[in-house]
Amino acid sequence: MALQPLRKHIDRYQAALSSHPDKVGEDERAAAEIKFKSVSKAYEILSDDDKRDLYDAQGMSAFETGNRGGMSMDVDLDDILAQMFGMGMNGPGQPGPGPRRPRRGADVEQPYTVTLEELYKGKTTKFASKKNIICSRCKGKGGKEDAKPRQCGSCQGRGMQGGLKTVGPGLVTQETVVCRSCKGTGNVYKEKERCKKCKGERVVEEKKMLEIYIPRGSKEGDRIVLEGEADQIPDQEPGDIVFNLVEAEHSTFRRAGADLSADVHVNLSEALCGFSRILVKHLDGRGIYVKHPQRGGGPLKPGSVIKIAGEGMPHKKSELRGDLYLVVNIDFPDREWLMQDGRMDKLKDLLPKSEDPIQAETVDEVDYEHSNLDDFGSGDQDDQGDQWEDEGDEDSAQPQCAQQ
């Protein structure tokens, strides 16, 4: 199809649409604007030789998000041309088989939840999948071997039909959809001439075992792609089944990139005098054994962090690993333990004495309670901002400016 005449058609149509919103009523402007954007996308493809070649080779699937051009699947070039000028890929005035069907079927995407253990060690799993495959008896025709199809009366052989699509409250726009009678082929068979195996549907359902392999070190958002395993459609390359990984929350570990962190608990004696024991059980079941102190290290404090190099998450396609950060929480003895056998007095003798007390001219002895910071900041009663209310007599005099 020659491009120059087409470009002139679209140039004229764009010029008309650019002034159209000013000439129609308010209730029609949204639909006009949507149609103008669709024409602009079509013109962008036609005016670029590379994009036009890409469209001829792959259809609008080549312009999905992430591919070159940044176009989306909601625009079909032939569809737009057919609606505007009665033109398809067969040229002006020739409706042909209607808008070009995508050469590749749609992908099927779904979330897949995995545990942190599975992401750490990797996982292979099998599952049964049901999908449509091209009928082996009629090879996707839908009719018997010697049967001849007739033109679909619903779409007059175009394979597509016009319809209305709601784009907003009280707003509709025209769109072209696949014909329900012929399912986009433009042809139909009489009931007695249809394939006995697929009943004219051209595809049959098949159950197949599929296998998913999740590499160790994978993370949330990674995509596991099973190429060509989506439903088969005659005259189209089947799409992919895509699993988007979702990482389940873990009861012990937190992940940041390739690093892991976890809270560990030690008692006061261990924090002051040291310990040699397993602090945490790792994702693969190993116990992480730590000796403290090491290399002249001092006592542990609440919130101290122990870093263990190379015990984080593995990197994909590498033997490298991130690091493991253990955040120390110190469990102090309760009051009942302190009050037994004079332990409190013994601790006072053993532990360092308090520093010099703070000096103040006025001293208030106050009561207290054990609490947390959950209600911190909630005691502000002055939440009216700059608003204020005059509690005096309504007839009282207004404030006067102070004299200089």
Side-chain angles (χ1 to χ4, degrees):
M1 178 173 57
L3 297 183
Q4 196 62 34
L6 260 173
R7 287 172 178 163
K8 290 181 179 179
H9 275 296
I10 294 182
D11 283 339
R12 289 197 296 267
Y13 197 76
Q14 279 188 307
L17 280 177
S18 63
S19 58
H20 187 258
D22 296 333
K23 296 182 178 180
V24 300
E26 184 70 28
D27 58 338
E28 299 180 18
R29 291 183 182 177
E33 185 176 340
I34 292 174
K35 201 166 188 178
F36 175 76
K37 290 180 179 178
S38 299
V39 176
S40 298
K41 289 182 179 181
Y43 182 73
E44 181 181 346
I45 297 174
L46 285 174
S47 60
D48 187 297
D49 291 337
D50 291 337
K51 291 181 179 179
R52 178 53 189 262
D53 292 341
L54 195 62
Y55 173 80
D56 288 337
Q58 302 180 30
M60 287 308 297
S61 63
F63 301 96
E64 293 184 50
T65 302
N67 292 336
R68 57 185 296 185
M71 307 290 286
S72 63
M73 285 290 292
D74 59 353
V75 176
D76 189 287
L77 180 59
D78 287 339
D79 190 4
I80 294 175
L81 298 178
Q83 288 188 56
M84 293 191 304
F85 313 116
M87 303 170 70
M89 295 309 296
N90 294 324
Q94 302 180 33
R100 172 192 313 225
R101 294 173 63 79
R103 287 179 169 82
R104 186 177 184 279
D107 292 339
V108 178
E109 298 202 24
Q110 61 186 60
Y112 187 77
T113 301
V114 286
T115 65
L116 195 54
E117 286 88 352
E118 293 168 337
L119 295 175
Y120 182 84
K121 296 181 290 186
K123 178 183 180 181
T124 299
T125 185
K126 295 182 179 181
F127 67 97
S129 173
K130 290 183 179 180
K131 71 173 185 178
N132 292 331
I133 62 169
I134 295 174
C135 177
S136 59
R137 174 172 293 186
C138 67
K139 304 299 188 295
K141 287 174 47 182
K144 296 180 180 179
E145 184 176 356
D146 298 329
K148 292 185 179 180
R150 56 187 175 85
Q151 187 182 82
C152 176
S154 299
C155 63
Q156 286 73 49
R158 294 186 177 88
M160 309 293 284
Q161 290 179 307
L164 296 178
K165 178 182 179 180
T166 302
V167 296
L171 299 176
V172 295
T173 184
Q174 289 185 344
E175 67 170 354
T176 302
V177 296
V178 176
C179 176
R180 294 184 178 181
S181 299
C182 66
K183 296 180 175 57
T185 64
N187 301 308
V188 294
Y189 290 91
K190 295 180 180 179
E191 186 172 353
K192 65 180 181 179
E193 296 176 339
R194 294 173 186 170
C195 173
K196 292 184 178 180
K197 184 175 182 179
C198 67
K199 309 296 190 246
E201 296 293 330
R202 304 195 298 161
V203 294
V204 293
E205 189 176 79
E206 179 192 59
K207 187 175 182 180
K208 183 179 179 180
M209 293 300 297
L210 298 177
E211 183 177 276
I212 299 176
Y213 169 63
I214 301 173
R216 62 181 190 139
S218 299
K219 60 183 181 298
E220 178 159 347
D222 284 357
R223 292 157 53 89
I224 308 299
V225 181
L226 302 181
E227 296 184 357
E229 293 295 349
D231 287 338
Q232 295 181 4
I233 302 174
D235 305 321
Q236 291 189 29
E237 176 187 351
D240 303 330
I241 297 179
V242 182
F243 292 96
N244 297 297
L245 298 186
V246 178
E247 181 182 309
E249 184 177 352
H250 199 272
S251 59
T252 301
F253 293 96
R254 298 174 296 274
R255 181 182 185 180
D259 293 333
L260 291 171
S261 69
D263 294 329
V264 295
H265 289 259
V266 299
N267 60 38
L268 182 59
S269 174
E270 292 175 319
L272 295 174
C273 306
F275 55 86
S276 296
R277 66 177 177 90
I278 295 175
L279 277 185
V280 68
K281 189 175 181 179
H282 214 310
L283 294 168
D284 57 359
R286 291 178 298 121
I288 301 301
Y289 190 92
V290 176
K291 291 183 178 181
H292 171 77
Q294 292 183 357
R295 294 183 290 276
L300 294 175
K301 301 177 181 180
S304 293
V305 177
I306 298 174
K307 177 182 175 181
I308 305 175
E311 286 293 349
M313 294 292 292
H315 293 265
K316 286 197 298 185
K317 301 179 182 180
S318 171
E319 295 301 320
L320 298 176
R321 293 176 181 269
D323 300 325
L324 173 61
Y325 294 82
L326 302 179
V327 182
V328 176
N329 293 277
I330 299 177
D331 297 329
F332 286 81
D334 56 28
R335 178 175 176 81
E336 182 179 352
W337 184 90
L338 286 173
M339 300 306 295
Q340 293 178 6
D341 302 327
R343 290 170 178 168
M344 183 176 292
D345 292 333
K346 293 177 182 178
L347 285 175
K348 287 181 179 180
D349 293 336
L350 291 172
L351 296 175
K353 302 298 184 289
S354 61
E355 298 178 357
D356 294 338
I358 299 173
Q359 301 296 324
E361 293 183 2
T362 303
V363 178
D364 284 340
E365 183 176 355
V366 297
D367 294 327
Y368 69 92
E369 61 182 271
H370 292 282
S371 184
N372 52 47
L373 293 177
D374 292 345
D375 296 329
F376 181 70
S378 62
D380 185 8
Q381 299 297 322
D382 186 16
D383 56 356
Q384 300 299 318
D386 294 333
Q387 299 180 8
W388 59 278
E389 181 178 353
D390 186 5
E391 297 181 354
D393 188 358
E394 295 182 356
D395 298 330
S396 61
Q398 296 296 321
Q400 301 294 324
C401 296
Q403 295 183 358
Q404 302 294 329

